[in-house]
Each structure stands twice: as C-alpha cells, then as structure tokens.
C-alpha cells in the first residue's frame, strides 16, 4: 500500500507539470520502502535549457522528504540542490520533529517498484580539482574511488566503465573508501554507481560520509 501511494503521487506530479518532465533513475536493486508520513520534492528536467527546475514549496518540516530527481540532469545541477535541501532541513522551526529523514527515489527495475535511498548521512562537497586535492591532503584515506565519464580510478589505477563491477573490492584490506564523482556525470550515473557500490562493497569496507564532486 505504501508503494502504491508513492507511485500515485509521482504520477500525479508528472501530469500536473506537463510543461516539464521527470524520469526517475533506473537501478535493478532493492531499496527502502515508502513512508506514509512524507512530503515530496520535485526536481524536473527543463527540456529547453537542460537545467533543473526545482519545486520545494510543498515540504512539511514534520514529515520525511522524498526527493524525486530527473535522471538526465548533470550532477553539477543536482548537487547544489542536495545542499539546499540539507540546509532547509536543518533550519530551526517550531514545526520540526526529531528523526525525520530525506530520501532519494528511484525506479527499482528488478522488483518493478519505486524504492528509496537515504541521503541523511552523506555530506556533498562540489569544488574544483585543485581545491579537492587540498582537502585530500588534510583528510587521508585508505582508498580513493573516482568515477569519471570514461574511466573509473581506484587509487589512481584506471578501469573502463565496463570493468568497474569486476574490481576486486573483496580482496582489498579493510579500510575507508572515499568517493569522488565528475560533476559532468548524470544523476542516473550517480545513482547506479552509488547503489551498486552499496550492494557489492564488503562489510569490512567503510564508505566515508563526505562525497566529493569535481567541477
């Protein structure tokens, strides 16, 4: 029933905003189920400008927020919205309720349903490569996984996009792994990589809570 409510809400949102369009990311992996007590945020794809068109007017601070983002948008468009939503969520209000969360929605093509991914524990930083390099010097990590448009790098060792699932993460010594993404990647790319990584990463590997996006 909860899933039906979410799906119906998304359909209604698309029909009422037919001058724009929204296509959810498609990932063949299970996620979290829906929540009855939620507000929805819409991030449409403006077909004329290829830019994000945000509708955040109907959020209620005492509910969970489900964020629906078009998969075609570049991360350079999406990450500032993530940062805006997190700032809005932390803004003090008499209506705030402890424990409310933010979720990203996507289409689980394996189970054929709408699924959710919690973004609460993640901090998003988008900077130039030079500025990120300075941050890396201050915050060492065991492994650095970089997702680019044509290659994926693990501690500066390159893999093709097709090879990335075959990276033997289970053979690595347990430690912390830091994620970097080229902001030219699409939101579809991000959700596919991020969710798949959660699925294949050994439990002994810890993903750092801060993710870096290269301008």
């Amino acid at each position: 029933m909860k899933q039906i409510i979410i799906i119906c809400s998304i359909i209604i949102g698309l029909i009422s905003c037919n001058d724009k369009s929204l296509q959810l990311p498609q990932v063949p992996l299970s996620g979290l189920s829906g929540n009855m007590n939620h507000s929805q945020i819409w991030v449409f794809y403006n077909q004329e400008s290829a830019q994000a068109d945000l509708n955040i007017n109907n959020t209620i601070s005492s509910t969970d927020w489900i964020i629906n983002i078009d998969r075609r948008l570049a991360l350079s468009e999406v990450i500032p919205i993530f940062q805006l939503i997190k700032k809005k969520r932390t803004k003090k209000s008499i209506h705030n309720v402890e424990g409310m969360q933010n979720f990203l929605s996507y289409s689980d093509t394996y189970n054929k349903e709408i699924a959710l991914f919690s973004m609460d524990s993640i901090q998003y930083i988008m900077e130039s490569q030079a500025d990120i390099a300075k941050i890396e010097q201050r915050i060492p990590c065991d492994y650095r996984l970089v997702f680019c448009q044509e290659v994926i790098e693990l501690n500066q060792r390159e893999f093709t996009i097709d090879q990335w699932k075959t990276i033997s993460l289970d053979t690595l010594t347990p430690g912390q792994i830091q994620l970097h993404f080229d902001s030219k990647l699409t939101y579809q790319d991000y959700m596919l990589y991020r969710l798949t990584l959660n699925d294949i990463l050994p439990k002994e590997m810890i993903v750092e809570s801060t993710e870096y996006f290269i301008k």
Side-chain angles (χ1 to χ4, degrees), residues 32 101-104 116-122 124 194:
L32 301 172
Q101 300 183 61
N102 301 325
F103 297 96
L104 304 175
L116 305 175
F117 172 66
S118 176
M119 64 180 292
D120 275 6
S121 63
I122 304 173
Y124 302 92
R194 191 64 181 82

Side-chain angles (χ1 to χ4, degrees), residues 3 9 22 25 42 65 102 115 120 188-189 192 205 208 212:
Q3 292 288 359
S9 298
L22 195 153
W42 304 94
W65 293 353
N102 301 325
D120 275 6
Q188 167 68 35
D189 295 327
L192 179 61
M205 301 293 289
E208 288 193 4
Y212 299 90

Side-chain angles (χ1 to χ4, degrees), residues 133-179:
K134 293 177 183 177
I135 294 172
E136 291 173 348
Q137 292 176 355
R138 300 197 308 267
I139 309 174
C141 64
D142 300 303
Y143 304 101
R144 186 168 292 112
L145 188 57
V146 184
F147 295 92
C148 303
Q149 289 184 294
E150 297 180 357
V151 298
I152 294 173
E153 298 178 4
L154 176 62
N155 284 7
Q156 298 184 334
R157 181 185 174 191
E158 290 190 355
F159 298 84
T160 67
I161 299 299
D162 293 335
Q163 288 176 321
W164 93 271
K165 284 189 181 180
T166 65
I167 300 174
S168 299
L169 297 174
D170 56 346
T171 65
L172 301 177
T173 303
Q176 288 192 321
I177 187 166
Q178 193 178 85
L179 303 183

Side-chain angles (χ1 to χ4, degrees), residues 32-51:
L32 301 172
S33 298
N35 189 317
M36 291 284 287
N37 183 30
H38 69 268
S39 307
Q40 303 228 22
I41 294 173
W42 304 94
V43 186
F44 295 96
Y45 180 83
N46 187 311
Q47 298 186 63
E48 293 185 0
S49 65
Q51 295 178 332

Side-chain angles (χ1 to χ4, degrees), residues 81-121:
I81 290 172
F82 282 176
Q83 295 167 334
L84 174 66
I85 289 171
K86 281 185 166 286
K87 183 177 180 180
K88 183 177 175 68
R89 174 62 94 179
T90 57
K91 186 177 180 180
K92 291 185 178 181
S93 166
I94 60 173
H95 302 293
N96 284 357
V97 175
E98 291 292 330
M100 295 297 100
Q101 300 183 61
N102 301 325
F103 297 96
L104 304 175
S105 68
Y106 67 96
S107 175
D108 170 5
T109 55
Y110 180 78
N111 295 298
K112 295 181 172 57
E113 61 186 18
I114 303 300
L116 305 175
F117 172 66
S118 176
M119 64 180 292
D120 275 6
S121 63

